[in-house]
Amino acid sequence: MIRTEEPGTIRVCPVSSKAPNDAPCLPLTIDDFETGGLDLFSESYVMTGRVLALRPADVIGKKGRLTGESLAEITGHVPAGGPKGNEPAKYSGRSRTRR
């Protein structure tokens, strides 16, 4: 989770195992986690240019907690308001959203 917005909405950045060619991202390793973490065997990438709005009920689970330094670096690269007109996403059942 990057931040909460209006009541009932949270903002998140997707994480991918492959760096996108056309969007800003930051590498993410197991050392970036204070507790827990992703199932990382190599780097993953936080897509900082893509901010999604979700309802808390759409979040399946929590994989871990980033260190304060890692979270500050990520939020420093995320656009302040995120994409305009971004409504809460509907869970399609095909992918899992993690906070």
Side-chain angles (χ1 to χ4, degrees):
M1 175 170 64
I2 297 300
R3 63 180 162 265
T4 58
E5 296 279 321
E6 58 279 352
T9 302
I10 58 174
R11 299 280 179 178
V12 298
C13 289
V15 175
S16 175
S17 60
K18 297 178 184 172
N21 294 329
D22 59 348
C25 67
L26 291 172
L28 185 66
T29 67
I30 195 68
D31 295 331
D32 292 314
F33 288 87
E34 186 175 295
T35 59
L38 300 172
D39 301 326
L40 298 173
F41 295 103
S42 60
E43 280 188 339
S44 287
Y45 301 88
V46 178
M47 293 182 267
T48 57
R50 185 169 179 216
V51 180
L52 305 173
L54 297 173
R55 296 177 307 231
D58 292 333
V59 177
I60 294 170
K62 180 178 174 180
K63 294 296 285 184
R65 180 181 300 273
L66 291 170
T67 65
E69 294 168 351
S70 297
L71 184 58
E73 182 177 5
I74 292 167
T75 56
H77 285 84
V78 172
K84 295 191 185 271
N86 198 8
E87 294 297 319
K90 292 182 180 171
Y91 177 62
S92 67
R94 286 184 277 160
S95 64
R96 294 184 176 189
T97 303
R98 299 178 174 148
R99 0 181 235 185

